[in-house]
Amino acid sequence: MSFTIYPAIDMRKGRCVRLQQGDYNEETVYGDSPYSMAKHFADQGAEWIHMVDLDGAKDGASIHDEFVIQVAKELKVKIQIGGGIRNERDIDYYLKCGIDRVIIGSAAVTKPDFTINMIQKYRSKIAIGIDAKNGYVATNGWLNTSKTTAVELAKQLANAGAETFIFTDIARDGMLRGPNFDAIAQIAQETGKQVIASGGVSDLNDLNLLKGFSHLGVSGVIVGKAIYEGKFSVRDALQYVD
């Protein structure tokens, strides 16, 4: 299985930011233009870019769709987008505008019937974003924690036809302390589906360790703060896992 690097662009108030452990009060701004950042990543060889509408995730509606669509239309790169996507109108709109994969996050918990319908209708165009806090799924921009475990939700939706999961351990996100390797591997093993790891990547060795789980179904990794803080570049990452 090929292993994909997904450089991340988290958008808030029109800027490129990173949050620490999902805390909206712990924000670092890394750029004023999501498009310019995406172009920078694409110029370094990125085939995919992971974009997140943080305002949308918090408010439950797509806020930064214009930036996402601009990237999809003007750059030769594939886009997966998450944040605030809670209805089929948004999913259909993004896909018709050239977005390659749409992420359902909070709705996977709050609107399970809707989520299953979308999985079965759009298949590989849908990814399920599972953001975990102490093993339980967090929703609404990580502001709320449900009573459903990450493993339970992943197994339920895998049985319903989900093909791709994005797993984030919130405690690791933005901390540069390494991913939660055990939890990532467990999701892959329990579902038998593709899992994209997210949260905590600190150096190139973390990428190598995650690639070592490819045989379980770990198909890629989302990298944010490590790139923004200069730990390594997108080009470095792509060459390292090639």
Side-chain angles (χ1 to χ4, degrees):
M1 179 183 292
S2 62
F3 190 81
T4 303
I5 302 295
Y6 297 82
I9 298 176
D10 290 2
M11 300 169 291
R12 189 179 186 207
K13 298 179 181 178
R15 301 179 296 183
C16 303
V17 307
R18 299 299 295 171
L19 305 182
Q20 185 169 298
Q21 295 181 319
D23 187 343
Y24 282 74
N25 295 314
E26 294 290 339
E27 174 189 272
T28 303
V29 178
Y30 288 102
D32 293 324
S33 170
Y35 176 82
S36 295
M37 190 66 71
K39 188 176 186 307
H40 174 64
F41 292 155
D43 288 346
Q44 291 189 55
E47 296 182 4
W48 279 89
I49 294 177
H50 174 81
M51 302 186 77
V52 178
D53 185 342
L54 290 175
D55 293 313
K58 191 175 182 180
D59 297 341
S62 296
I63 306 295
H64 292 101
D65 51 299
E66 62 184 285
F67 299 118
V68 181
I69 292 165
Q70 181 188 15
V71 172
K73 288 185 175 180
E74 297 185 20
L75 300 178
K76 292 182 179 179
V77 65
K78 295 180 180 179
I79 302 295
Q80 64 180 19
I81 174 65
I85 299 166
R86 313 280 165 82
N87 58 67
E88 185 173 3
R89 182 185 65 251
D90 289 344
I91 293 172
D92 186 61
Y93 174 64
Y94 272 131
L95 295 177
K96 285 181 176 177
C97 288
I99 307 306
D100 296 275
R101 187 184 292 147
V102 176
I103 304 162
I104 296 177
S106 296
V109 173
T110 61
K111 301 170 69 175
D113 292 341
F114 160 78
T115 301
I116 290 170
N117 287 337
M118 294 302 95
I119 289 169
Q120 294 176 346
K121 182 172 182 178
Y122 295 103
R123 310 303 298 183
S124 63
K125 295 290 185 180
I126 298 293
I128 302 299
I130 297 181
D131 305 321
K133 184 178 291 185
N134 298 320
Y136 290 86
V137 180
T139 63
N140 300 96
W142 300 354
L143 298 175
N144 302 319
T145 304
S146 73
K147 296 181 180 179
T148 303
T149 70
V151 172
E152 288 171 348
L153 180 63
K155 289 173 70 173
Q156 290 169 7
L157 295 179
N159 290 335
E163 299 177 17
T164 303
F165 293 91
I166 298 171
F167 176 80
T168 305
D169 184 332
I170 295 171
R172 305 294 182 105
D173 194 67
M175 301 303 291
L176 297 175
R177 295 176 183 169
N180 187 336
F181 296 103
D182 291 340
I184 293 162
Q186 183 183 15
I187 295 289
Q189 286 180 303
E190 294 281 356
T191 63
K193 304 297 183 179
Q194 290 191 48
V195 175
I196 300 169
S198 175
V201 169
S202 60
D203 56 29
L204 291 172
N205 188 53
D206 285 340
L207 305 183
N208 191 48
L209 293 172
L210 287 169
K211 187 178 179 181
F213 293 121
S214 294
H215 66 288
L216 299 178
V218 179
S219 62
V221 57
I222 295 165
V223 187
K225 191 170 184 177
I227 291 173
Y228 291 105
E229 291 290 329
K231 303 297 183 181
F232 55 82
S233 68
V234 171
R235 184 175 286 110
D236 293 336
L238 292 169
Q239 291 174 346
Y240 194 77
V241 303
D242 188 19

